[in-house]
Amino acid sequence: MTCAEPSPRSPVPVAVEPAAPPESRGCLYALSQPPLMLFLTVIGSLLLFGAVYDLFGLHRW
């Protein structure tokens, strides 16, 4: 058998199902990520600390 001769077996077609489209992940999925929540917590606490300082601590001079 040489390269020019056809192979005795013919390829059998296999039925392939199309892959399901990926599910879209919205904003709630992004907010459930721990690094993002940690970042938002730090930024929120800095804003809260600044607001409390402006309201109660700045007028004592």
Side-chain angles (χ1 to χ4, degrees):
M1 185 176 204
T2 64
C3 293
E5 294 177 12
S7 99
R9 292 188 204 162
S10 62
V12 178
V14 177
V16 177
E17 295 181 17
E23 295 180 16
S24 62
R25 295 179 176 172
C27 187
L28 290 179
Y29 175 76
L31 286 177
S32 69
Q33 302 304 309
L36 179 63
M37 289 305 295
L38 182 63
F39 173 76
L40 292 177
T41 302
V42 169
I43 296 300
S45 61
L46 289 174
L47 288 173
L48 180 65
F49 178 74
V52 169
Y53 179 76
D54 280 346
L55 287 174
F56 299 113
L58 192 61
H59 299 291
R60 292 188 185 169
W61 49 276

